Amino acid sequence: MSSYSPEQDDLLKRLRRIEGQVAGISRMVADDRYCIDVLTQVSAATSALQSVSLKLLDAHLAGCVVEAAKQGGPEADVKIKEAQAAIARLVRS
Amino acid sequence: MSSYSPEQDDLLKRLRRIEGQVAGISRMVADDRYCIDVLTQVSAATSALQSVSLKLLDAHLAGCVVEAAKQGGPEADVKIKEAQAAIARLVRS
Amino acid sequence: MSSYSPEQDDLLKRLRRIEGQVAGISRMVADDRYCIDVLTQVSAATSALQSVSLKLLDAHLAGCVVEAAKQGGPEADVKIKEAQAAIARLVRS
Amino acid sequence: MSSYSPEQDDLLKRLRRIEGQVAGISRMVADDRYCIDVLTQVSAATSALQSVSLKLLDAHLAGCVVEAAKQGGPEADVKIKEAQAAIARLVRS
């Protein structure tokens, strides 16, 4: 069971919607639609993906990190370091 | 013809790859894969979408904005304002 | 005269406020203040700096780029490429 | 004692450097320097501030969050929620 299990359905719904958004952007590009209109849709899909990232990170912190911290030991350090690296990737992307 | 016509094929290839990435993330979530591994893939897809945004914006600047600036008049202002709003959305997202 | 001359006073006011914000953050850190409170102030200063970036970029587009596009020639390409590189740095930072 | 105490000196050094960078940007704007050159310095200061944010967040996770998780109870939830909100502000800014 993963840390995001309680939100699995919500995450899958979001991801399928994003997949549809990206397919829609492909059609706009294939149809030579106005660049600013395409950009608006790409920004919307990017924001939606960032929301998925934040949801996953929330679950990781409240689940894996808290669990590992309670048990202590080197595993707690590994989980914290993974979370820190994931946050840095998110902030820099 | 749109400002990104010379890059239409490249954009379509990128968008189809991103669509596949998002479908792959859905499968990872459905399979209850480790949250940090899912996050890494979401970050990769987000970066790929941002590259598409930058390509579209580059085309808009070098195409629509330059063209409108040459012709002058209120249309040039409209194109510049659209570009500024699109950049602000990109930076804030 | 620079493209941002009409907004020079506004930009200087913003930058002095940001300088004060950063000095305030130093005092908070020296006083060992709670990390989340410090983070909130760092986020505020970061947003204020991004607003300065967007203002400068707006001025560059509406000023330098439009001017160069009207005159045409290789200078227009240089200005567009500079703007594109600056936007990419902003989006990626 | 704060979670970032071991890094207090490093943080203060970084913040003073950023304060100097912002003062330098003010001088560039007052001197009407070329907008793209100013933008480059603003991007550098923004990145430096984001590094400070990531350092503070790392300290919060490895310090406050781990400590609270070990003790359990409602305080752990509060620390996690604060971290999540701070991460969301960072990613969205």
Side-chain angles (χ1 to χ4, degrees):
Chain A
M1 214 191 72
S2 65
S3 66
Y4 54 78
S5 291
E7 317 226 39
Q8 203 172 25
D9 287 349
D10 175 61
L11 284 167
L12 285 172
K13 236 179 269 173
R14 285 168 186 262
L15 286 163
R16 272 160 205 157
R17 202 179 311 134
I18 295 167
E19 212 185 315
Q21 282 178 293
V22 177
I25 297 166
S26 285
R27 280 190 299 275
M28 290 178 84
V29 168
D31 292 350
D32 245 346
R33 294 276 297 278
Y34 181 45
C35 34
I36 292 291
D37 294 339
V38 183
L39 255 175
T40 303
Q41 295 309 312
V42 181
S43 286
T46 306
S47 287
L49 268 181
Q50 280 175 333
S51 296
V52 168
S53 290
L54 288 172
K55 275 200 155 272
L56 286 166
L57 201 55
D58 284 0
H60 180 68
L61 290 178
C64 311
V65 168
V66 166
E67 207 46 53
K70 275 184 199 160
Q71 303 187 351
E75 185 60 8
D77 284 345
V78 172
K79 295 295 178 208
I80 287 286
K81 285 216 161 53
E82 281 179 347
Q84 291 170 338
I87 293 164
R89 274 198 307 271
L90 261 181
V91 171
R92 298 276 182 218
S93 77
Chain B
M1 216 191 73
S2 66
S3 67
Y4 54 78
S5 291
E7 317 226 38
Q8 202 172 27
D9 288 348
D10 175 62
L11 284 166
L12 285 173
K13 237 180 270 174
R14 286 168 185 262
L15 286 163
R16 272 161 204 155
R17 203 180 310 135
I18 294 167
E19 213 185 313
Q21 283 178 292
V22 178
I25 296 166
S26 284
R27 280 190 301 274
M28 291 178 83
V29 168
D31 292 350
D32 245 347
R33 293 275 299 277
Y34 182 45
C35 36
I36 293 290
D37 293 339
V38 183
L39 255 174
T40 303
Q41 295 309 312
V42 181
S43 286
T46 307
S47 287
L49 268 182
Q50 281 176 331
S51 296
V52 168
S53 289
L54 288 173
K55 275 200 155 270
L56 286 166
L57 201 55
D58 283 0
H60 180 68
L61 290 179
C64 310
V65 168
V66 166
E67 206 47 51
K70 275 184 198 160
Q71 302 187 353
E75 185 61 9
D77 285 344
V78 172
K79 294 295 178 208
I80 288 285
K81 286 216 160 56
E82 281 179 345
Q84 291 169 339
I87 293 165
R89 274 198 306 271
L90 262 181
V91 171
R92 298 277 182 216
S93 79
Chain C
M1 213 191 74
S2 66
S3 66
Y4 54 78
S5 291
E7 317 226 38
Q8 202 171 27
D9 287 348
D10 174 62
L11 284 167
L12 285 172
K13 236 180 271 175
R14 285 168 186 262
L15 286 163
R16 271 162 205 153
R17 202 179 312 135
I18 294 167
E19 212 184 314
Q21 283 178 293
V22 178
I25 296 166
S26 285
R27 281 191 300 274
M28 291 178 84
V29 169
D31 292 350
D32 245 347
R33 293 275 297 278
Y34 181 45
C35 35
I36 293 289
D37 293 339
V38 184
L39 256 175
T40 303
Q41 296 308 313
V42 181
S43 286
T46 307
S47 287
L49 268 182
Q50 281 176 331
S51 295
V52 168
S53 289
L54 287 173
K55 276 202 156 269
L56 286 167
L57 201 56
D58 283 0
H60 180 67
L61 289 179
C64 310
V65 168
V66 166
E67 207 45 55
K70 275 184 199 159
Q71 302 186 353
E75 185 60 10
D77 285 344
V78 171
K79 294 295 177 208
I80 287 286
K81 285 215 161 54
E82 281 179 348
Q84 290 169 339
I87 293 165
R89 274 198 306 273
L90 262 181
V91 171
R92 297 278 181 216
S93 79
Chain D
M1 212 192 73
S2 65
S3 66
Y4 55 79
S5 291
E7 317 227 39
Q8 202 171 27
D9 287 349
D10 175 61
L11 285 167
L12 285 172
K13 235 180 272 175
R14 285 168 186 263
L15 286 163
R16 271 161 206 156
R17 202 179 312 135
I18 294 167
E19 212 184 316
Q21 283 178 291
V22 177
I25 296 166
S26 285
R27 282 191 299 276
M28 290 178 85
V29 168
D31 291 351
D32 245 347
R33 292 274 298 278
Y34 182 46
C35 34
I36 292 290
D37 293 339
V38 184
L39 255 175
T40 303
Q41 296 308 313
V42 181
S43 287
T46 307
S47 287
L49 269 181
Q50 280 175 331
S51 296
V52 168
S53 289
L54 287 173
K55 275 201 156 275
L56 286 166
L57 200 56
D58 284 359
H60 181 67
L61 290 179
C64 310
V65 169
V66 166
E67 207 46 54
K70 275 184 200 159
Q71 303 186 351
E75 185 60 9
D77 285 345
V78 171
K79 294 296 177 208
I80 287 285
K81 285 217 161 53
E82 281 180 346
Q84 291 169 339
I87 293 165
R89 273 198 306 272
L90 262 182
V91 171
R92 298 276 182 218
S93 79

